[in-house]
Amino acid sequence: MTNLILARTQMAYSLGFHMIFAALGVGMPLLMLLAEGLWLKTRQERYLKLAKTWAKATGVLFAIGAVSGTALSFEMGLLWPRFMAFAGATIGPAFALEGFAFFLEAIFLGLYLYGWERLSPLAHWLCGGVVAIAGAASSALVVASNGWMQNPIGADLLRTNPAAMDVVGVLFRNPAWPIMTVHSTISTYAATGFAVAGIYAWGALRGRTDALRLTALKLALAVGVLAALVMPVTGDASAKAVAVRQPSKLAAMESQFATERRAPLRIGGIPDVANRKVYLSVEIPGGLSWLSFGDRNAEVKGLEAIPRADWPNVPVTHIAFQVMVAAGTVMPVVAFWYFWLLVKRGRESALRPWPLRALLVTAPLGFVALEAGWVVTEVGRQPWMIYQVMRTADAVTPAAGLPWAFAAFLTLYALLGTVLVLLLNRLRHASEGGT
Amino acid sequence: MQLWYGLDPVMAIGAAMLLAITAYAVLGGADFGGGIWDLLATGPRASLQRQAIARAMGPVWEANHVWLIFVLVILFTAFPVAFGALSIALFGLFHAALAGIVLRGAAFVFRANTAADSAGWRTWASVFGAASIITPFLLGTALGAVSSGGIRLAGGATVGSLAAGVSVNPAQAWFSPVSLGIGALTLALMAYLAAVFLTVETEGAVQEDFRVRALGAGVAVALLAAALLPLTANLSPLLWQHLSRPQSAPPMLAGALLAAFSAWAVGTRRYKLARGAAVAEVVIVLWGWAFAQWPYLIYPDVTVYQSAAALPTIKFVLDALPFGFALLIPSLWFLFAVFKGHTRV
Ligand code: HDD
Ligand code: HEM
Ligand code: HEM
């Protein structure tokens, strides 16, 4: 295998791995904070128990997030040295600011996790607040670096006259940033909320239906559904932005081979790149034109308008996009139905097997959508690493040892992931007794 | 050159990076040292020693670890070409260090959440200890490698020369006696720091245990430093040239005196004093290395100036530092005041 394929796979694997913990690192602090806040307000012991159990899990997850993130910072250079040498000065400021956010997050998480006895309840809760805010801020800031790779304004100056770069402007006044950052930061709450709710649904199916766990389920699902409601709206805005700035990505997402007016929205389907056709999709005439440009007759640029060598991988981008949207549709529907049951039919019917099984189905969907969304964004950007400025193939490391590094990281992360799941499972059991 | 508040901005950002390296060496280093003593915990109080280490590290190690990320971020933001070249030249070494960093952190939290003395606990304890030894050793050899002259950039410090121009002579870069010696010295210093810090945070017999360990590590530091000097003379022309200058004598003497002073303070159970002196010793060693290295980032082809990013970036990072630290310093103070004020076994 070539270095390029290995490096791309290692990058995707490391980022996909980090992203799970990063998302939980943003989402879990909010849940802890809500639970502890409810305890402060009502002084009901179960809320405190909840906050403590969640804090324990967060401690482990955060550590894995931190070390995998550190690995990523090295890997950016280890895998893509020429990219970092070229663009480090431009995306670096985002990471520098993110570094401060990490620092605050790590400091206050230490205080939160170990400070139950040493801090007053309010001070403790406020420490948790800093963790939650710093986590969200670090997510928002790091995405600026990715936003620049999608929409690299000022990249030509970087070649010709870097002293004239507007460092802040290209990252934070980059129109790609706000919309990506809102969509992706909120997605972490959706992913966390549904996953946690699903875990309690699983427990409930095994008969663990006490008040503590039902509260946990409701709280997590409420956070999840509020976030999931925003996803289609911000997702639509993302798609409109992609339509303008990255026509090759939009065409791949939608398997739009021809340039046409009244382009249809294709739902599902399997693209056949060789014959430039899509099988088994449902088409809504004019739908894509309308969603992308707000006009059913607008012209959508198809892949045919783009040199063949510059196409991203169409099936992967298309299918990942369908998966994200499908998950984004199912999640709020199921959650609303569940809350409706709970409110209208009462606790008994909400704890029956079918509703709980539905929550089990939605449990991984937030993470599925989140990973799929990043696949759309990153694979859809190919073959460019910096869109239309630097090709991925031109950035890859010439180092000879890549296959070894790749195999080692594959093994290491697989091992860590497995151990972690086993461990968290026990943590849950450890909190079993009582209530 | 444009100045930044009257300072040379490249030198200022280089100094900021050195400060971050120093903070990581002292704070993160003590955590690595804790791992070493965890692995080497022996005698009737082995488990008390381990508990003291875990208690000392638990709340702070993640914050201490962020200093490494700072170093890295400043390196790739302010000196992108050097970062690219190092990433190619030290590909294997960095990957191995990364595996160590990942395993150390993961093993520490995994162990903390496993029933004490179970089979799983013992596995993670060994991984934690082994990774705490390998990682600082490798990072130390990396410092040696950039001074060794074994990493060359044929086309000079430019983005273009990274494609084919980076060559490494491993025997000169990281397998050289000097680099291995610097790695070993790093390890011994971390062990010394950790043992001294732990004497401040423990009492009674456990405190005596760490006192003995501190003295042992102090002897190792002295022996390694004494062995490194002649090696440097033969094998590392850059470092030797700087270290043998007359103006290098006072700091080197100061370093030796501080080491002796700190060991004396440990010996006579003046632990807080010993802690201060141990920190100062690490600072002197590291800064001594940095001054000997100046102005090179990678000797002899990449200087700080050649690989510096354009001014707007450097100024942005410099401008951000005071704001960031205005938030961080009180926070760090709070963290250490809450947990280090009265940790007791
Ligand atoms: C819980 C997760 C989640 C859910 C339910 C959705 N998304 Fe999403 N989406 C993400 C999580 C995500 C993400 C992982 O966070 C991405 C990757 C990059 C980014 O900024 O957000 C993303 C990217 C992303 C992009 C590409 C942006 C770019 O490349 O710049 C588009 C067009 C959409 N999304 C559209 C949607 C639509 C129309 C949804 C309708 C339901 C949707 N997303 C639900
Ligand atoms: C959208 C993408 C990303 C998001 C939302 C994100 C978010 C986070 C969050 C919230 C953390 C805190 C640790 C945790 O909660 O588990 C974290 C840790 C970290 N991330 Fe990421 N990250 C992203 C991508 C990256 C990338 C691309 C890099 C580097 C190239 C990176 C580097 C780091 C580092 C160094 C840490 C460790 C910080 C510490 O020690 O506290 N992250 N990330
Ligand atoms: C700030 C955040 C991020 C940065 C700076 C970043 C940067 C990069 C870089 C440098 C590459 C390699 C070059 C390339 O293939 O073009 C890459 C590829 C990739 N990234 Fe990201 N990334 C970020 C977030 C993410 C996240 C969170 C995920 C997934 C969960 C992700 C998924 C991928 C995938 C799948 C690829 C491989 C694409 C391919 O080669 O076809 N990225 N990213």
Side-chain angles (χ1 to χ4, degrees), chain A residues 10 60 62-63 70-71 73-74 77-78 84-85 88-89 92-93 96 100 103-104 108 111 114 118 163 167 398 405 409 416 419-420, chain B residues 58 62-63 65 67 70 72-73 76-77 80 83 87 91 95 98 102 109-110 113 162-163 309 312-313 316 324 328 331 334 338-339:
Chain A
Q10 184 174 335
V60 184
F62 184 88
T70 310
S73 315
F74 275 98
L78 289 171
M84 288 309 278
F100 287 117
F103 225 139
L104 288 176
F108 285 92
L111 283 160
Y114 292 85
R118 298 195 177 208
V167 183
F409 264 77
L416 291 190
V419 173
L420 192 76
Chain B
E62 279 180 285
H65 173 81
W67 287 110
F70 256 70
L72 214 60
V73 169
F76 71 60
T77 306
F83 180 66
S87 296
F91 184 84
H95 265 102
L98 265 188
V102 170
V109 290
F110 286 173
N113 287 285
L162 292 184
T313 300
F316 174 82
L328 282 186
S331 309
F334 187 46
V338 167
F339 293 110

Side-chain angles (χ1 to χ4, degrees), chain A residues 32-382:
Chain A
M32 296 176 334
L33 208 62
L34 287 174
E36 198 183 355
L38 285 170
W39 174 68
L40 284 178
K41 217 171 139 200
T42 65
R43 293 290 165 173
Q44 289 181 27
E45 215 43 38
R46 63 186 156 143
Y47 291 122
L48 181 63
K49 267 193 111 156
L50 213 54
K52 284 197 168 171
T53 309
W54 284 348
K56 259 209 178 113
T58 305
V60 184
L61 294 166
F62 184 88
I64 306 296
V67 293
S68 61
T70 310
L72 271 177
S73 315
F74 275 98
E75 280 176 294
M76 300 274 284
L78 289 171
L79 301 174
W80 317 102
R82 285 174 280 168
F83 163 67
M84 288 309 278
F86 174 68
T90 305
I91 62 172
F95 286 101
L97 296 183
E98 192 203 20
F100 287 117
F102 283 152
F103 225 139
L104 288 176
E105 201 182 354
I107 292 169
F108 285 92
L109 191 74
L111 283 160
Y112 190 87
L113 294 179
Y114 292 85
W116 292 97
E117 262 85 59
R118 298 195 177 208
L119 298 164
S120 78
L122 183 64
H124 186 262
W125 186 76
L126 290 174
C127 286
V130 180
V131 177
I133 293 170
S138 72
S139 161
L141 288 167
V142 74
V143 169
S145 65
N146 193 280
W148 184 81
M149 291 162 64
Q150 312 294 340
N151 185 35
I153 50 183
D156 39 341
L157 269 185
L158 206 54
R159 286 224 172 81
T160 52
N161 183 15
M165 278 289 269
D166 171 10
V167 183
V168 181
V170 299
L171 285 173
F172 299 110
R173 281 193 293 275
N174 187 329
W177 180 56
I179 180 62
M180 272 186 89
T181 232
V182 169
H183 188 62
S184 73
T185 304
I186 294 177
S187 84
T188 63
Y189 299 115
T192 307
F194 278 87
V196 172
I199 290 171
Y200 285 97
W202 189 64
L205 278 168
R206 272 162 188 64
R208 294 192 285 271
T209 51
D210 48 79
L212 169 76
R213 288 186 175 75
L214 191 63
T215 310
L217 190 155
K218 284 192 286 194
L219 206 59
L221 195 61
V223 168
V225 73
L226 285 179
L229 272 181
V230 185
M231 297 313 293
V233 181
T234 53
D236 174 58
S238 296
K240 287 186 163 66
V242 169
V244 176
R245 281 193 287 274
Q246 294 180 307
S248 59
K249 184 189 281 180
L250 184 80
M253 274 157 53
E254 301 289 349
S255 292
Q256 179 72 33
F257 290 101
T259 299
E260 58 185 343
R261 294 184 180 282
R262 263 182 97 78
L265 182 70
R266 291 184 190 78
I267 299 173
I270 299 163
D272 171 357
V273 177
N275 296 309
R276 306 193 170 187
K277 281 202 182 96
V278 187
Y279 301 116
L280 301 172
S281 71
V282 178
E283 298 200 353
I284 302 173
L288 180 59
S289 292
W290 183 71
L291 276 177
S292 306
F293 301 104
D295 168 8
R296 288 170 55 100
N297 289 315
E299 184 180 273
V300 175
K301 212 169 167 189
L303 285 160
E304 66 178 13
I306 293 151
R308 181 65 185 85
D310 292 353
W311 292 14
N313 184 320
V314 179
V316 171
T317 315
H318 177 79
I319 291 168
F321 185 62
Q322 307 302 312
V323 167
M324 170 170 57
V325 176
T329 314
V330 171
M331 286 156 60
V333 171
V334 169
F336 267 119
W337 172 64
Y338 194 85
F339 275 120
W340 177 82
L341 273 181
L342 204 60
V343 174
K344 291 279 167 183
R345 298 281 173 82
R347 184 192 140 102
E348 287 312 310
S349 58
L351 288 174
R352 279 202 318 250
W354 276 108
L356 291 172
R357 278 183 205 139
L359 290 188
L360 223 51
V361 171
T362 53
L365 285 190
F367 279 98
V368 169
L370 188 148
E371 299 278 358
W374 277 107
V375 169
V376 172
T377 301
E378 303 290 87
V379 176
R381 185 188 64 225
Q382 303 300 320

Side-chain angles (χ1 to χ4, degrees), chain B residues 43-121:
Chain B
R45 289 174 298 276
S47 110
L48 286 179
Q49 292 165 13
R50 290 211 175 91
Q51 282 170 27
I53 294 165
R55 213 183 336 242
M57 277 180 69
V60 295
W61 75 273
E62 279 180 285
N64 293 344
H65 173 81
V66 184
W67 287 110
L68 172 67
I69 294 158
F70 256 70
V71 174
L72 214 60
V73 169
I74 296 184
L75 181 64
F76 71 60
T77 306
F79 306 105
V81 175
F83 180 66
L86 286 177
S87 296
I88 296 173
L90 302 179
F91 184 84
L93 192 144
F94 277 167
H95 265 102
L98 265 188
I101 288 168
V102 170
L103 281 171
R104 200 271 306 227
F108 184 71
V109 290
F110 286 173
R111 187 182 69 167
N113 287 285
T114 311
D117 277 323
S118 61
W121 187 92

Side-chain angles (χ1 to χ4, degrees), chain A residues 408-428:
Chain A
F409 264 77
L410 211 66
T411 320
L412 183 63
Y413 280 178
L415 179 86
L416 291 190
T418 315
V419 173
L420 192 76
V421 171
L422 296 174
L423 204 92
L424 288 179
N425 194 33
R426 237 217 322 277
L427 219 102
R428 180 178 62 78

